[in-house]
Amino acid sequence: SWAKGFFSSSHTNWDGRTWKRNFHELRQRDLTLFSLGNLKGKKVLDIGCGSAEYLTVIGKMGTQFVGGQDLGEEQIKNGRKRLEREGIEGKLIIGNAIKLEFPDNFFDCAVSNDFFEHITYEEKQKVICEVFRVLKPGGIFTIKTPNISYLKLVILLKRMFNLFRFKSPFIYIAHTKDNPTNEHHGLTTFKELEKLLIDNFFHTPSVTYAPLIRKRLPKTISRLLFGKKIFTETIILTSRKSIFYGFYK
């Protein structure tokens, strides 16, 4: 269901049976993988790979080798079974991404999908430093993570709307403020991630924008908002490891 973009129909009081398909999420996943370029014959790393859902798709794109690392023991076990079942050559490791268990200058590309919102600023620094180490000089690194600037704007508008309807304005961004958890304590901005990448000798990141698609949002407005970071709900940043500093660090 995940690969096809099916999600529970409600975040609260879900009946356990009703699903809805989110084509917008599939579009954003596509854009993330497009940013890696042609993957045929490449070695690709997924940081925070979970059960290798993304790596399975990446492997189907003709890679030579896929690698992944995640703290979840059960997820890694399931991911290994998935890769084996699909006949994809790769290696999945149980471990913290602040210390990647892969050789220096090994991968052509690295990607991180919906992982950076789960880690602290200091952990982000260490992860990016490790990605630099395991990438070949000139290697591509793409990060996909929710945009906290957009989420803050949306929650502000919802609070104002609730006040007008005489409802409680005390609502928070999902997965923060124990609503229902605080697992997204590392939500970040374009500016913060760009600085972290540049400080770790990645070249100035390029932004991949996705259109803002909402049922009640006219297409004309969506087009006007396109390309503006605050109205971009998901950060997709792509950078490359320095070549000269990569060889002669």
Side-chain angles (χ1 to χ4, degrees):
S1 61
W2 179 90
K4 294 181 179 180
F6 283 102
F7 296 88
S8 56
S9 58
S10 174
H11 292 297
T12 57
N13 302 318
W14 182 47
D15 61 13
R17 298 186 303 274
T18 311
W19 299 80
K20 61 180 180 180
R21 198 170 191 186
N22 188 337
F23 289 101
H24 185 53
E25 168 62 18
L26 293 179
R27 179 187 292 110
Q28 292 181 108
R29 293 178 193 169
D30 281 349
L31 291 172
T32 303
L33 296 190
F34 287 156
S35 70
L36 299 176
N38 183 0
L39 297 181
K40 190 172 181 60
K42 300 289 182 65
K43 297 177 183 176
V44 183
L45 171 68
D46 185 357
I47 303 105
C49 63
S51 300
E53 292 90 347
Y54 274 99
L55 284 178
T56 302
V57 176
I58 289 169
K60 289 175 179 289
M61 297 172 73
T63 55
Q64 175 190 342
F65 177 90
V66 298
Q69 189 160 318
D70 196 287
L71 276 173
E73 185 174 349
E74 195 63 31
Q75 289 93 326
I76 290 293
K77 287 180 180 178
N78 290 335
R80 287 169 179 166
K81 292 175 184 176
R82 178 176 280 116
L83 294 185
E84 184 178 0
R85 188 167 60 245
E86 296 288 345
I88 296 169
E89 181 70 25
K91 182 178 183 181
L92 304 184
I93 293 174
I94 301 165
N96 196 319
I98 64 172
K99 179 61 178 175
L100 295 172
E101 302 295 328
F102 291 98
D104 296 356
N105 307 315
F106 184 75
F107 290 99
D108 300 286
C109 307
V111 65
S112 173
N113 294 286
D114 305 311
F115 169 67
F116 270 61
E117 65 269 25
H118 297 277
I119 58 177
T120 66
Y121 182 86
E122 290 73 22
E123 288 170 329
K124 288 180 178 68
Q125 285 181 311
K126 292 176 181 177
V127 170
I128 291 172
C129 184
E130 276 292 276
V131 174
F132 184 94
R133 179 183 64 79
V134 301
L135 274 181
K136 296 175 182 177
I140 297 172
F141 180 31
T142 295
I143 299 170
K144 172 182 177 287
T145 188
N147 178 11
I148 193 173
S149 300
Y150 168 81
L151 294 173
K152 283 181 176 179
L153 175 64
V154 169
I155 213 71
L156 174 63
L157 293 174
K158 286 183 177 179
R159 286 171 178 169
M160 292 170 62
F161 188 58
N162 274 7
L163 282 172
F164 285 125
R165 295 190 302 167
F166 301 102
K167 291 189 174 183
S168 172
F170 298 106
I171 55 175
Y172 301 94
I173 297 169
H175 306 299
T176 67
K177 300 284 187 182
D178 297 317
N179 178 32
T181 66
N182 193 29
E183 63 176 299
H184 288 183
H185 58 86
L187 284 165
T188 186
T189 63
F190 279 98
K191 185 177 180 180
E192 181 177 90
L193 280 182
E194 286 166 350
K195 183 179 186 304
L196 281 168
L197 287 163
I198 292 168
D199 287 350
N200 283 279
F201 291 93
F202 281 91
H203 284 282
T204 304
S206 61
V207 179
T208 298
Y209 291 101
L212 187 61
I213 306 294
R214 292 293 181 272
K215 281 185 179 179
R216 297 183 180 88
L217 186 68
K219 290 182 180 179
T220 305
I221 302 299
S222 179
R223 285 194 292 268
L224 286 173
L225 300 180
F226 182 77
K228 296 175 175 60
K229 289 179 179 177
I230 195 168
F231 295 111
T232 304
E233 60 182 323
T234 300
I235 297 170
I236 303 175
L237 278 181
T238 303
S239 190
R240 298 185 82 117
K241 174 178 174 175
S242 168
I243 294 175
F244 276 87
Y245 188 71
F247 279 120
Y248 303 109
K249 185 176 178 180

